[in-house]
Amino acid sequence: MYNILIGGAAGQGVDTTCSILEKLLKQSGYHVFSVKDLMSRVRGGHNFTLIRFGSEAMASHSYILDGIVAFNQETVELHRHELKPDGFILCDSQLSVEGKDVIKIDMNAIAKKLGNPKVAGSILIGAILKIFGETLDHSRTVFAGAVKPEYLAINLQAVEIGYDSTAKQHAHNGGAYGAWMLLTGNQALALGAMAAGLKFYSAYPMSPSTSIMEYLAGKMTEAGIVVEQAEDEIAAINMAIGASFAGARAMTGTSGGGFCLMVEALGLSGMAEIPMVVADIQRPGPVTGLPTRTEQSDLNFAISAAHGEFPRMVIALKNHADAFYQTIRAFHMAEKYQIPVIILSDQYLADSSATVEPFDVRNSQVYRANDVLTDGEYLRYRLNGEAVSPRLLPGTSKGFVSADSDEHDERGRIIESAEMRVQMMDKRLSKLKKLEAELKEPEFIGDDSYDTLLIGWGSTYGPIKEAITILNHQTIHHFSALVFGDVYPLPVKRLNEKVVQAKQIINVEQNATGQIAKLIREQTGIMCTSSILKYDGRQISGEQIAAQVLKGGE
Amino acid sequence: MYNILIGGAAGQGVDTTCSILEKLLKQSGYHVFSVKDLMSRVRGGHNFTLIRFGSEAMASHSYILDGIVAFNQETVELHRHELKPDGFILCDSQLSVEGKDVIKIDMNAIAKKLGNPKVAGSILIGAILKIFGETLDHSRTVFAGAVKPEYLAINLQAVEIGYDSTAKQHAHNGGAYGAWMLLTGNQALALGAMAAGLKFYSAYPMSPSTSIMEYLAGKMTEAGIVVEQAEDEIAAINMAIGASFAGARAMTGTSGGGFCLMVEALGLSGMAEIPMVVADIQRPGPVTGLPTRTEQSDLNFAISAAHGEFPRMVIALKNHADAFYQTIRAFHMAEKYQIPVIILSDQYLADSSATVEPFDVRNSQVYRANDVLTDGEYLRYRLNGEAVSPRLLPGTSKGFVSADSDEHDERGRIIESAEMRVQMMDKRLSKLKKLEAELKEPEFIGDDSYDTLLIGWGSTYGPIKEAITILNHQTIHHFSALVFGDVYPLPVKRLNEKVVQAKQIINVEQNATGQIAKLIREQTGIMCTSSILKYDGRQISGEQIAAQVLKGGE
Amino acid sequence: MSSEEFCTYETAWCPGCGNFNILKCLKQSLEELGKDPHEVLLVAGIGQAAKTPQYLSANSFCGLHGRALPAAIAAKIANQKLTVVVNSGEGDSYGEGGNHFIHNIRRNVDITHFVHDNQIYGLTKGQASPTSNEGTVTDVQTEGSINTPFNPLLIAIAAGAGFVARAFSGNPEHLVSIMKQAILYKGYSLVDILQPCISFNKVNTFSYYKNRVYKLDDAYNSYDKITAMEKAMEFGDHIPLGVIYQEEKRSFHEKNKVLASGVPLVDQQQEGSLIEKYMQEFI
Amino acid sequence: MSSEEFCTYETAWCPGCGNFNILKCLKQSLEELGKDPHEVLLVAGIGQAAKTPQYLSANSFCGLHGRALPAAIAAKIANQKLTVVVNSGEGDSYGEGGNHFIHNIRRNVDITHFVHDNQIYGLTKGQASPTSNEGTVTDVQTEGSINTPFNPLLIAIAAGAGFVARAFSGNPEHLVSIMKQAILYKGYSLVDILQPCISFNKVNTFSYYKNRVYKLDDAYNSYDKITAMEKAMEFGDHIPLGVIYQEEKRSFHEKNKVLASGVPLVDQQQEGSLIEKYMQEFI
Ligand SMILES: Cc1ncc(C[n+]2csc(CCOP(=O)(O)OP(=O)(O)O)c2C)c(N)n1
Ligand SMILES: Cc1ncc(C[n+]2csc(CCOP(=O)(O)OP(=O)(O)O)c2C)c(N)n1
Ligand code: SF4
Ligand code: SF4
Ligand SMILES: [Mg+2]
Ligand SMILES: [Mg+2]
């Protein structure tokens, strides 16, 4: 497995270089995982991407580097200490970086000579391919998909120059992933929404959720999806609810700050029993926080957001495949129970690219409301002893469909009666019981010989999985983990079983207060014995978890 | 102790009648407690007020009636079953109500004859005074304070007619409360805010919070408070933060739906460390719910509202005196720790009138930020190892004051550094630890011989207190209760002590999901053994709690 | 001409409230236009005016205070066969909902917006609303409102609305004629309806309006924007009623590539193989 | 004339961005007006333009996206000795913050609002903003924006603003003169500043503006509302720069009974016995 870091200022082309390189590596068979570290600015500053690739599947990133590819001086200075002893540094000849590990290419000068300073990145790509023993077999196809036709030739030329200007250092390890996909968490989520039959997406731009809207907008005409940029997040969610009421499967997406503005309408979805899916792509708060970085700190908020009490479901995405399948499931649950479903993702998952097996779309059945055809009176909120009343879409038959944010009777008209109030509250809240029967238990990682149990949720799944492997190799103790996807209602069966033999329970979270630990205690009384919490906006890696567990003193 | 119900359609004058009657009873020495049951409409429907009065202090209302005063037929039909065997019904001669308990007065006809149909209520007041053995001694002063001078004579005439048209049934019991105040929870809260030095109040109208704004608006010119009606709740809270930043003690008030719109800015107060007080006067949700009724269902929301993690304090008001003193304390804590403080009240407390000893305003000291006078650089977020950095107001010295919703350095400038991020998060969150040392433990009601412990929070204080008295009289078991005022951070010392001897722990809450019970379990692991939950929008009474406890099967 | 009758239900309004006439005129307009109640969707926020959908037999959506428009336009986007009519107060529409007001004018989705403008917050018992006259005294504006009143017609024209009108609940015949024109207009149409609130607005009473309103005559050119803006500024001793401004504009549905075919979004079928195709792009 | 200099700091903007000139002109304007940096409060929301307060030595408040105005006017209400200037993007000011825009115009608090109008969402990397030209293609508006652009000047005038101007970051001398007039204006003043975003707006570039802008001449009567509204509608091949509309209006502070004395609210002392007196009223 290899791991390289490519860094530079915003606007220098790090992004394009990386996305092409990743695809080339994946085409040649590797399993690729890459993650971005961005500053909140358009030009300048310091950004980098970590690209990890190997012949076996990997679940996350690592900070231990085989190579540094530097567009600027800062990249070297900031990251040299992360380089393995036999690692290399690849950079422009102009940088004042010395050492026998340094490979210099006069890339900026060559690019200029070729006629376009922007192809410097392609020279680097060529050099990297050479260093890792790759061929240039896939260059033409991959570049053809990434640059405008008129720029293809010059880029291929640049790749070749880079390739020829350096020497092979590593062997090509191969792998069987050439026919798998390479995509980001947000792309997987957007695909999942489409597979679920999305018809209407309304959102207000906010990092790191905007790329969902952008992906959908790129397909809207062909796929028949109305993608509407709202004037604010309040409009975005109320639009989604209005569209869903009228029968179009609808979703909105945002990050924590925008989600704040949506919570009143979350209650509307709950009260009026209108299905709706909201994706909250978390970033470090509070408020604007660190807008381009990652955190998992909206959990407690998401499960209790909005005044009053109503049923909801909260699903945290663990990885890229989850982003697809769980988004479909979010729509399914929203439609089946006529509730709001919140998807919690985060910048780490949203922006990282992973190699994923093509999705099985035969499993994308979403519940479809029975069309109640009636000539008589239709009762939108029929109290038939069931949690969910048959749904009718307005305009499709001779029944009137009502939605009301006030407490209402079976027809949807405002009431003041204490009895009706209680019946309606009980009806709505009984959905939570129904949901419990459909919950997905947390994924168990490791084998049954553990004495320490790590607990996580959402996107720390990958790092925790790696940490378990590392730990079970490095120590005589045995480690396993439970990682939650469904977080509300919280599935507790497997948890209750697995904690029995654990001498230590450690929650690993990308937040400062240990939010899942609190929720677990509230729901089960189980207390974690210690916590690994990271809240500096950078995702924890498997090796960092392992180190902290070991330091935490077994 | 007496308890009467006065009911009629909205617009018939029930409100005015009741407020005058209450004051008369209080002037004559009684301790008075009255609570309103309103429909969400301006005219028509059915509203009623329960007025309880006696020679000893009482903490809440009761549904067991000594008398019904009916402005309309519906009042009798809906409430006759709540009347004690020896109770009376007082109504207009035109109503078709029969029985030997019925006292009819031709009030509407008399009022018309007197020249103003609106004085019918005053005729009733006269009759009620007579029935309860009162004199007319206070009529002149009380009416003079309640009606326009030109209507005084006719009203006093009406009172006399009412007085003379019926017979005494009950003895005047007397009491020593004539010099105490009679005021609503919202009035007490507003007075508390003024005592704390409020300078700026911004809000958007929303029941049951609007009367805070109305009370303050009535005093604004004299008291030097800017009371500003905002275009929406988002503006309201951002205004309060802006005013506070510039040095004016500021507050906003709303109910759950409006609070939803405020949560993003709650985080701003936390992040930028700008003191702020928000009053959430709860009503039944979700969304519009039952807008004129009561509920305690915003607790879980208030403690976790807004994305990301930041310190806050949440204080629930237990009764009218609390509304005054805890509001002062809310300002004190907000200023001292530079945090948002949320006051949780509810429609029951906000709109009910109680007899309260005049407040001791010598205890209204609010922390005042040291004015840092500096000629050098002022560091708004100085990392001096303390949770709270010295505060400077902009424009008062040669230091620059910055506030930023992005993560920032000591000067308040945007940063991306992982280290600074962690230091600032730790600084802010360390305020929670500081707060813990200042928490008020829940009030313990009863004596130490209990085997059953009731647990409540906020406005169920009164009913729970009455229930404890009833229960300890009615059964051989012993009951005590803990009622929380401070709910976040949750004080757990007394709780941990008191649960030890309890065989049963019963949480009594005006919501459907048992919110304080969840919080207690999360914080302490303690589980309530059963719950008494009411969520029909009507406040539970002491006798209802007692009955449910007993039914709950000891 | 009426195909099917709309039923009305008992209301919670004060006897004498201007809302009664608006409800009656709404019913009459829909009937005279031959609308099928089952294809009508009445949308509202929260307030006294916003209870209107509760009182007429049609599909109804009473959402959040201030948020009627986003829900309404999205329902229309989802199913353009629905006749979507919003009835809400001026506090709801221009106060809490002000941002949706200006931006939905820009979208120009084919819905109709009837604002019951009583120049007061009715349901919350009488605070100044955006359109309250300067100086209006209430329990909150104890010294009288000091804000410049919001001029909905002028702002709507400035924001680019294609149909902007004023009517008066006390002039039902004229109100019906304006309502019908507004519903027929292809695009966003606004009718600001003067509506006395007998309980809380003691300034802008029935006779206040009655004495001031006049109907625009035939000579008035509602197609000229400058004329219209000048006319929209008239609100004092004389208050013009009628279509203040109109203009043909392409609607959202005509401009949006997904909707332009005319097939309602809810009825559009997605090609089954699309996801497979999109997955290929990641390989 | 300058009493004290304002320092500027290193920015995170793209080299070539129009914001640099705006920052420079802001500094110059404040200095030429003789403002003391310690009595200046710069307020912003979130966005590229909204970083402006970070780059100038003065008090600063960078709050929430879209919410600069409520915080700014409240700070001014609290302490009228502060010179309060808002710098924010047009997405912030007219999009997310649209409701505060129209309603704070009605309040007329004496603050100055400089909108850096690049007709695009800069910080979030290039989506259509309220003022984007119809047809603007972005990663979200893949078929081109279909909304009628928001006309900030026209809407401000319609909402009752007393000082409404347009400037261009590429014309610093003129910008400074407008900025100074705006800051001096007693009441809410709006300057919409055309500001090329070189990274994301490929339509409304520096030369796009350069080729279209012209300065209003002396013959222009900025005191006539109808003239001003007509002029405000001009935005195409010719784009007028200058004070489009002005009018003397009583400000919030002059009308509000608590503030009219001129003593800053923060300095007003409450009479100690007031609470006692109010308690008496409940006895
Ligand atoms: C978020 C939110 N804020 C405030 C309210 C309270 N509220 C309900 S209706 C209303 C205003 C009503 O005024 P208007 O829209 O003019 O309608 P009217 O009652 O006058 O017809 C308000 C402030 C609410 N329901 N939700
Ligand atoms: C509530 C919320 N929604 C969305 C965002 C994301 N956001 C930050 S700046 C911005 C728009 C910036 O556009 P503009 O105001 O025009 O400023 P510019 O960057 O162009 O100067 C958005 C949508 C946010 N920070 N907060
Ligand atoms: S309060 Fe006013 S608007 Fe509401 S129903 Fe009564 S009269 Fe009509
Ligand atoms: S993205 Fe545009 S607005 Fe932002 S700094 Fe760069 S050029 Fe300026
Ligand atoms: Mg109104
Ligand atoms: Mg912009």
Side-chain angles (χ1 to χ4, degrees), chain A residues 238, chain C residues 43-46 61 63-73 86-88 92-93 100 111 113:
Chain A
N238 279 284
Chain C
V43 180
I46 295 294
F61 183 101
L64 299 176
H65 181 54
R67 317 303 171 188
L69 287 184
I73 64 116
V86 176
N87 284 73
S88 231
D92 195 279
S93 301
H100 313 306
I111 65 161
H113 189 180

Side-chain angles (χ1 to χ4, degrees), chain A residues 204-206 233 257-258 261 283, chain B residues 264, chain D residues 46-49 65 89-92 96 118 120-124:
Chain A
Y204 186 77
M206 184 161 200
E233 289 86 351
L261 295 166
R283 67 189 215 193
Chain B
E264 190 193 11
Chain D
I46 295 294
Q48 295 285 25
H65 180 54
E90 85 289 2
D92 195 279
E96 185 90 43
N118 53 14
I120 204 83
Y121 281 7
L123 190 62
T124 49

Side-chain angles (χ1 to χ4, degrees), chain B residues 23 26 181-182 187 199 219 222 228-229 231-232 239 359 361 395 398 401-405 413-414, chain D residues 9 36 38 54 59-60 62-63 67 74 99-100 107 252 265 268 276-279 281-283:
Chain B
K23 194 128 189 180
K26 205 268 309 173
M181 302 183 294
L182 183 68
Q187 288 167 336
K199 291 248 163 237
K219 308 295 187 197
E222 186 179 32
E228 186 60 15
Q229 182 177 317
E231 57 273 26
D232 56 32
M239 281 185 198
F359 302 126
V361 288
K398 293 287 168 194
V401 187
S402 299
D404 201 321
S405 71
R413 306 273 150 162
I414 300 182
Chain D
Y9 306 107
D36 175 349
H38 301 93
Q54 297 267 329
N59 299 292
S60 67
C62 295
R67 318 301 170 189
N99 208 32
H100 314 307
R107 273 193 191 93
F252 186 92
L265 190 60
Q268 291 185 25
E276 303 277 3
K277 178 177 151 196
Y278 296 154
M279 284 197 292
E281 296 170 0
F282 292 113
I283 290 173

Side-chain angles (χ1 to χ4, degrees), chain B residues 42, chain C residues 13-14 17 19 48 118 122 195 197-200:
Chain B
V42 171
Chain C
W13 290 323
C14 311
C17 173
N19 281 325
Q48 295 285 24
N118 53 15
Q195 170 245 321
C197 166
I198 57 143
S199 290
F200 296 111

Side-chain angles (χ1 to χ4, degrees), chain D residues 76-147:
Chain D
K76 181 73 181 184
I77 290 173
N79 186 354
Q80 59 197 73
K81 281 194 298 198
L82 296 171
T83 298
V84 178
V85 179
V86 176
N87 284 73
S88 230
E90 85 289 2
D92 195 279
S93 301
Y94 312 139
E96 185 90 43
N99 208 32
H100 314 307
F101 177 62
I102 52 181
H103 290 288
N104 278 307
I105 289 174
R106 300 180 44 230
R107 273 193 191 93
N108 200 31
V109 178
D110 180 18
I111 65 161
T112 304
H113 190 181
F114 296 136
V115 179
H116 305 207
D117 190 349
N118 53 14
Q119 304 190 255
I120 204 83
Y121 281 7
L123 190 62
T124 49
K125 310 205 161 180
Q127 301 78 31
S129 85
T131 58
S132 292
N133 289 2
E134 202 169 329
T136 301
V137 173
T138 78
D139 287 348
V140 169
Q141 286 70 29
T142 49
E143 303 282 349
S145 166
I146 63 172
N147 292 346

